Amino acid sequence: MRDTPIADDLGTVDWLISDRPVDYEQAVAVMHARAAAIAAGSAPELVWLLEHPALYTAGTSTRAEDLLTPGRFPVHRTGRGGQLTYHGPGQRVAYVMLNVARRNRDVRAFVCTLEDWVIDTLATFGVRGERRADRIGVWVRRDLAGAEGEGKIAAIGLRLRRWVSLHGLSLNVAPDLEHFSGIVPCGVREHGVTSLADIGVSVSLQEVDLALRAAFERRFGAVRSVSAIAELAQPETTAAV
């Protein structure tokens, strides 16, 4: 784990929190517009925290057989890496639009730092998050019917366009975990999904947001709060998914 930001002197990152659920296709359109502006040097980097209505997203490696209950929730095909995942109320989604070219062009290190960001955030609440060599994301150990087990508490899926990252991560705070039963989350059948609420940690999204911000600044550098962005006010009419 790193104890310093992944890169220095990159400027301040915009930090936006949406206080109501955001339509998925609108979010993707906003991400693409902002990422293009970042690549062109006309807008600062951005981290956008939000919730979505209940839905599934299908990454570029999705297998049709992993959608177990078609028709349950809308399924959005998207250009991020990975397979099927769930988004919905009680889950904090962090869309991360950062210039990886200015962060050493090391995609593996970038993903590891995103995992470290989540691990640091969980530590704020006394939870030990762990990474796995064979599985992207963050995992926590838990007691399952008296037997040692583990569950995935945060998923990570990215796409790079002109070296600017799109999509990001989702941290399960207190979603309805039964909604994950309609898919094989991230293609992993051997292990389940968990949340902070599921392991007995009761915290609000606002508390999680504060912890995410503090941990992000330690790993990536300074942020500044913004209440709105131009891309959200005037999103693209079509989403590149």
Side-chain angles (χ1 to χ4, degrees):
M1 293 174 60
R2 292 179 183 81
D3 295 321
T4 58
I6 194 171
D8 297 321
D9 301 322
L10 287 169
T12 303
V13 176
D14 281 355
W15 188 269
L16 176 66
I17 302 175
S18 292
D19 60 4
R20 63 187 63 185
V22 178
D23 174 80
Y24 183 77
E25 291 191 0
Q26 182 191 24
V28 172
V30 168
M31 278 194 290
H32 280 268
R34 183 55 172 250
I38 293 168
S42 60
E45 296 174 307
L46 172 67
V47 173
W48 184 14
L49 305 185
L50 53 80
E51 289 178 284
H52 285 306
L55 56 89
Y56 298 130
T57 66
T60 56
S61 300
T62 293
R63 298 174 299 192
E65 62 269 24
D66 287 347
L67 180 61
L68 304 179
T69 55
R72 183 175 187 181
F73 295 124
V75 179
H76 297 265
R77 298 202 67 85
T78 183
R80 65 159 174 79
Q83 300 182 39
L84 281 163
T85 193
Y86 166 79
H87 295 314
Q91 181 189 72
R92 181 49 89 209
V93 174
Y95 288 131
V96 180
M97 287 146 272
L98 299 179
N99 191 329
V100 180
R102 297 176 63 196
R103 299 170 188 275
N104 305 322
R105 293 180 181 255
D106 189 333
V107 178
R108 183 182 297 274
F110 183 70
V111 171
C112 286
T113 307
L114 291 179
E115 292 173 334
D116 286 339
W117 174 27
V118 175
I119 290 169
D120 291 351
T121 300
L122 294 173
T124 304
F125 306 109
V127 176
R128 180 178 176 181
E130 301 175 351
R131 63 162 54 91
R132 296 289 178 263
D134 59 337
R135 297 175 247 136
I136 292 175
V138 178
W139 301 76
V140 296
R141 299 183 184 276
R142 59 181 181 173
D143 183 80
L144 299 175
E148 184 70 19
E150 62 181 5
K152 190 171 191 175
I153 199 166
I156 294 174
L158 294 174
R159 179 180 181 180
L160 295 185
R161 175 168 287 183
R162 295 175 62 191
W163 284 101
V164 176
S165 61
L166 294 160
H167 304 280
L169 62 89
S170 56
L171 173 60
N172 295 330
V173 180
D176 186 341
L177 294 180
E178 200 278 329
H179 289 175
F180 284 90
S181 67
I183 59 173
V184 179
C186 302
V188 178
R189 297 178 179 272
E190 299 81 9
H191 305 281
V193 177
T194 190
S195 67
L196 285 168
D198 186 46
I199 60 175
V201 178
S202 179
V203 294
S204 67
L205 285 177
Q206 292 71 29
E207 290 174 297
V208 170
D209 292 345
L210 289 172
L212 281 167
R213 178 169 180 156
F216 182 91
E217 290 192 308
R218 290 195 298 271
R219 295 285 174 180
F220 290 96
V223 305
R224 64 173 181 178
S225 296
V226 295
S227 59
I229 55 174
E231 293 86 359
L232 188 56
Q234 297 178 327
E236 295 178 353
T237 56
T238 59
V241 297

